[in-house]
Amino acid sequence: MAPGSFREDFKHDAVAQITERGYPVAEVPQRLISAPYGGSGRLWVKATGGSAARFSRLVALISVEARVAKATLSMAALASDRLPRPLATTREQKRRNERLQHLRGLGAILVLLFHAAYYLAHFRGDARFTTVFSGFLGTYGVAIFFALSGYLMAAASLNASAARFLLDRIVRIYPLLIIAVALTSIGLWLTGFPRRPDGVALLLAPAGPRDYILGVEWTLLFEMTYYVLIAAAMALRLRRLLSWIFGAWLGWLAAVCFLGLAPEQTLTPTFTALFGQAANSAFLIGFLLKSLPIASTQARPIALPLALAAVVVAAVAPLSPEAGHRWLAASSGALLLLAALSAPPVAPSLGSWIFSKLGNASYALYLVHVPVILISQHFLSEFVPTIIVFLLWIFVSIAVAAALAPLDVALHQLLKASVRLASARTAAYAALLFVALFLGVSLYQQYRIVAASDALEQARNTLLNVPPASKPSLLAAIDSAALLPDGRLIARGYAIDLLAPDDDSHIVIEQAGRVVAIDRMTRMRPLVARSSNRSDLIDVRFGFAAVTATALECDRGPLTAKVILSSETVVVIDSGAMGPICSHADGKPGRNKP
C-alpha cells in the first residue's frame, strides 16, 4: 500500500507520536486505530490485518518520515542555539501520570475525611473529628482537583479540535454522574426520603442554588464552565491567548477579592457571579502552570522543597482569615502539583499502589461518598460508637467507588472512541447544541433568580406592613428542626395555598420579633401531596429547608414561624417542632437529629 493511501493528518499524527510523544515506532499503528481520521484508521487495519508482521512495510514508511521530522527538529534547534528536549519515553510518561493519580487519590481522601467528620457532627452530635478534619481539609482537596484539572486541560486543549475537546469532557463527566444520581435516588427512596433529581442541577450549568442530590456537584458546574470557555476560545482560534486571558482573569479575581469587591462567595453561583468566585483560583493557576518550563521537565532537586512549601502553606492556611482560605489552598495545591511533576519516578510500594487505586477511583469516590453517608445513616443504630460510624462511612464509600471505577473506565473508553470516530460535522453540531443548552439554561436561571430576589424583597415588605391573618386553604407545617454543627438552626417543612398552588410563598422564622431565617419554597414534597390526596401537587415545589444566618441563641426568646403568600397575606403556622431546640433548662440549644 502506498503512502498516499493515507490522509495527511493521519500521517502527521503518526509522525508526531514518535517525534513529539516519544512512542516506539512499532506501537504507533495500534495507537492510531481508533483515531478520528475518516477511513485511514480502518484502512490501516484492513491493509495489515491487525498483525504486527504484516504492517512492517507501513511502519518503515512512517519511520522514514519520522526520521526526517526528527532531523528537521534538530536542525531547527541548532539554528536557534538550543538543544532539543529529550523525548519522554512511554515508561517515564506512565510514571508521571502515576504521580498525578496519587494527587487525585489524595484530593478524594481529603474531601471524604472532611465530609465524614462533618456529617458525624451533623447526625451524631460528635464534633471531635471536625477539629482535625476541618472545613479547610475539604477546601484543600477541591483545590488539588481544580489545580490538576487546570494543568491537564491546558495540555488536552493543545491536541484536539474545539468540538472534540468539549465532547471528550462531556463523556468523561456525565455518564458516571447520571449513574450515581440514579443509584442515590433509589437509595433515598428505600430509606423513605425520596428525592427526585433536578434536571437543571444534572446539567451542571451555573444556575444558582439547586437541589443537588449528591451534595458535591458544585465543583462540576465550575469544571463544565471552564470546559465550555476553553472550547469557545479554541473555536474562535484564541487558544494561544488562553494563558493570557486566564492570567488576566486571575489577576482581576485577586484584586476584587482582596479589595472586597467580589460578588458573594458561594458554591452555587449564577453564570455571571461564577467569574468572581475565589474557587476559580486553583484551576486558573493550574492552567497557567502548564506554560512553565518546570511543569514540562523533571527537576528532581526542587521536588522536595516544593512539597515542603505546599505543606507549610496548607498548615498555616486554617490560621488565616477565612476569606483567604481558597487562595492559600490553591497556592498549596499548585505547589504540590509542581512537586509531583518534578519528582523522581515512583518506587513500587504499598502506599504507591493504594494511592494509584484511589486515583483511579477518585471521581467515583467523589460522587458517591456523601450519598453513602446519608443513606447508611438511616440504617445505623444510634448506639453504634461514633468512631465505628466514621470508619464505616470511609470504608464503605471507598468500596462502592472501587466497584464503580471499572464501569466508569469502560464507559469513558467506549464513549471517547465514539467521539473520535464521529465525523467533524457531527462533533461540531453536538458540541454546539450542548453549548447552546448550557448557556441558555444558565442565563434563563439567572433571570429567574433575579425575579426571585425581587419576590423576596416583596415578602419582606409584606411581613413588615401586613398583620397576620387566617387562611383555611393553607396547607403548612414544620416537619423537623435541628441544629447544624456550627450552631445554626435548620427547619424543614412545607407550605402551599391549595386554592392557588402555583402562587409563590416564603417561610419566615422569627425570634422575639426578629427575622432569623427566610426562604422560598424550593423542594418537592410528593409524600405530603399523596397524603393530602392532591396528586396534582407531586411535581410542585412547596417544601422548604430554612436555615438561620447565624448560630441560634435561645436566650433571645421563643421561635415562631410565618408563611408569606404572594397575595400579600401573612399566616402564623404551628412552630411546635422547633420548641425542643430551646427547651433545655440551661437555656442552651438542644441538638435534635436532623
Side-chain angles (χ1 to χ4, degrees):
M1 178 171 292
S5 302
F6 300 99
R7 280 173 40 177
E8 288 302 318
D9 57 346
F10 177 76
K11 292 192 291 182
H12 179 273
D13 198 5
V15 172
Q17 294 281 339
I18 303 167
T19 61
E20 297 177 14
R21 303 186 183 182
Y23 293 110
V25 174
E27 291 185 14
V28 173
Q30 290 299 322
R31 295 187 59 82
L32 298 176
I33 285 176
S34 61
Y37 302 108
S40 290
R42 292 183 291 274
L43 191 59
W44 183 290
V45 178
K46 182 178 179 181
T48 63
S51 168
R54 295 182 60 188
F55 57 54
S56 59
R57 275 192 273 177
L58 298 180
V59 169
L61 290 173
I62 283 189
S63 182
V64 170
E65 293 195 28
R67 292 192 186 100
V68 172
K70 283 183 179 180
T72 303
L73 289 173
S74 298
M75 291 298 292
L78 290 172
S80 61
D81 198 28
R82 290 187 297 107
L83 291 177
R85 290 178 181 176
L87 296 174
T89 64
T90 303
R91 179 175 297 178
E92 182 180 339
Q93 185 66 32
K94 182 177 180 181
R95 285 175 174 172
R96 170 177 278 199
N97 291 340
E98 188 175 3
R99 290 192 292 272
L100 300 186
Q101 285 295 85
H102 292 175
L103 280 186
R104 285 194 180 96
L106 175 62
I109 285 296
L110 293 179
V111 175
L112 170 60
L113 290 173
F114 160 63
H115 279 142
Y118 171 85
Y119 284 106
L120 198 67
H122 184 80
F123 288 122
R124 303 273 169 156
D126 187 348
R128 291 176 300 169
F129 292 86
T130 59
T131 59
V132 179
F133 307 116
S134 64
F136 179 77
L137 207 66
T139 300
Y140 190 37
V142 169
I144 292 174
F145 278 132
F146 275 176
L148 183 57
S149 176
Y151 175 82
L152 294 175
M153 291 308 101
S157 59
L158 294 172
N159 299 314
S161 67
R164 295 191 197 281
F165 167 82
L166 183 58
L167 293 178
D168 278 347
R169 305 320 305 158
I170 290 172
V171 301
R172 178 69 192 97
I173 296 296
Y174 287 95
L176 188 63
L177 172 69
I178 294 172
I179 292 172
V181 168
L183 293 176
T184 302
S185 299
I186 295 172
L188 292 175
W189 177 76
L190 292 174
T191 64
F193 294 90
R195 286 170 61 186
R196 301 182 67 177
D198 183 334
V200 174
L202 198 57
L203 179 62
L204 301 179
R210 308 294 306 185
D211 186 13
Y212 291 103
I213 194 169
L214 302 182
V216 296
E217 293 96 325
W218 72 269
T219 62
L220 300 180
L221 67 89
F222 277 78
E223 288 280 357
M224 289 309 304
T225 303
Y226 302 146
Y227 303 155
V228 168
L229 294 176
I230 293 172
M234 294 168 67
L236 296 173
R237 302 188 182 280
L238 299 176
R239 172 60 187 87
R240 293 184 179 181
L241 298 179
L242 261 182
S243 292
W244 292 98
I245 294 172
F246 281 0
W249 181 5
L250 182 64
W252 170 83
L253 183 63
V256 298
C257 284
F258 289 104
L259 291 176
L261 302 176
E264 179 187 0
Q265 298 298 295
T266 175
L267 302 183
T268 54
T270 59
F271 182 74
T272 55
L274 181 143
F275 295 93
Q277 302 300 309
N280 294 314
S281 57
F283 182 91
L284 296 174
I285 294 173
F287 191 95
L288 296 175
L289 288 183
K290 179 60 181 174
S291 59
L292 297 181
I294 190 176
S296 303
T297 59
Q298 285 188 323
R300 297 177 185 177
I302 68 170
L304 182 58
L306 286 171
L308 291 176
V311 172
V312 171
V313 173
V316 302
L319 306 177
S320 67
E322 188 174 351
H325 283 187
R326 290 205 179 275
W327 287 95
L328 292 173
S331 301
S332 179
L335 289 170
L336 206 58
L337 174 58
L338 283 176
L341 292 170
S342 57
V346 178
S349 65
L350 177 61
S352 174
W353 180 84
I354 290 174
F355 274 96
S356 291
K357 294 299 182 182
L358 285 173
N360 293 337
S362 59
Y363 183 45
L365 180 58
Y366 181 76
L367 292 180
V368 305
H369 73 278
V370 171
V372 165
I373 291 172
L374 296 179
I375 294 171
S376 63
Q377 163 62 19
H378 290 281
F379 299 100
L380 293 175
S381 168
E382 60 182 6
F383 300 107
V384 178
T386 53
I387 182 63
I388 300 299
V389 174
F390 183 80
L391 295 175
L392 189 65
W393 283 346
I394 291 173
F395 288 120
V396 173
S397 296
I398 293 174
V400 173
L404 288 175
L407 176 61
D408 178 32
V409 172
L411 280 174
H412 182 219
Q413 290 178 344
L414 176 64
L415 295 173
K416 189 172 183 178
S418 300
V419 169
R420 290 181 174 182
L421 291 173
S423 67
R425 176 175 294 183
T426 300
Y429 282 148
L432 187 61
L433 178 63
F434 176 83
V435 171
L437 180 63
F438 186 87
L439 294 179
V441 169
S442 299
L443 296 176
Y444 173 70
Q445 291 299 323
Q446 179 156 326
Y447 162 79
R448 291 193 60 185
I449 288 173
V450 171
S453 178
D454 293 340
L456 180 61
E457 187 63 27
Q458 180 183 350
R460 290 182 181 276
N461 291 333
T462 300
L463 181 65
L464 290 174
N465 301 312
V466 177
S470 61
K471 188 74 172 180
S473 60
L474 180 68
L475 176 67
I478 294 180
D479 291 324
S480 63
L483 290 181
L484 297 175
D486 57 5
R488 292 181 299 157
L489 170 73
I490 179 171
R492 296 184 175 91
Y494 54 88
I496 187 170
D497 185 351
L498 296 177
L499 298 181
D502 294 329
D503 285 359
D504 201 7
S505 58
H506 291 76
I507 180 70
V508 173
I509 308 296
E510 290 184 325
Q511 188 176 32
R514 182 174 65 96
V515 175
V516 294
I518 182 170
D519 197 12
R520 63 192 295 263
M521 306 301 145
T522 58
R523 299 172 181 267
M524 291 182 285
R525 299 298 299 265
L527 294 181
V528 175
R530 291 191 182 95
S531 64
S532 303
N533 295 318
R534 290 293 299 267
S535 58
D536 59 311
L537 302 181
I538 290 177
D539 295 326
V540 177
R541 297 183 181 276
F542 62 96
F544 62 82
V547 181
T548 58
T550 59
L552 183 64
E553 299 178 46
C554 286
D555 57 1
R556 287 181 174 268
L559 298 167
T560 58
K562 297 177 181 178
V563 173
I564 306 173
L565 303 174
S566 58
S567 59
E568 298 187 353
T569 303
V570 179
V571 183
V572 178
I573 65 172
D574 183 14
S575 56
M578 297 186 293
I581 296 293
C582 289
S583 62
H584 286 217
D586 57 7
K588 296 181 179 180
R591 185 175 293 276
N592 289 1
K593 292 180 69 174

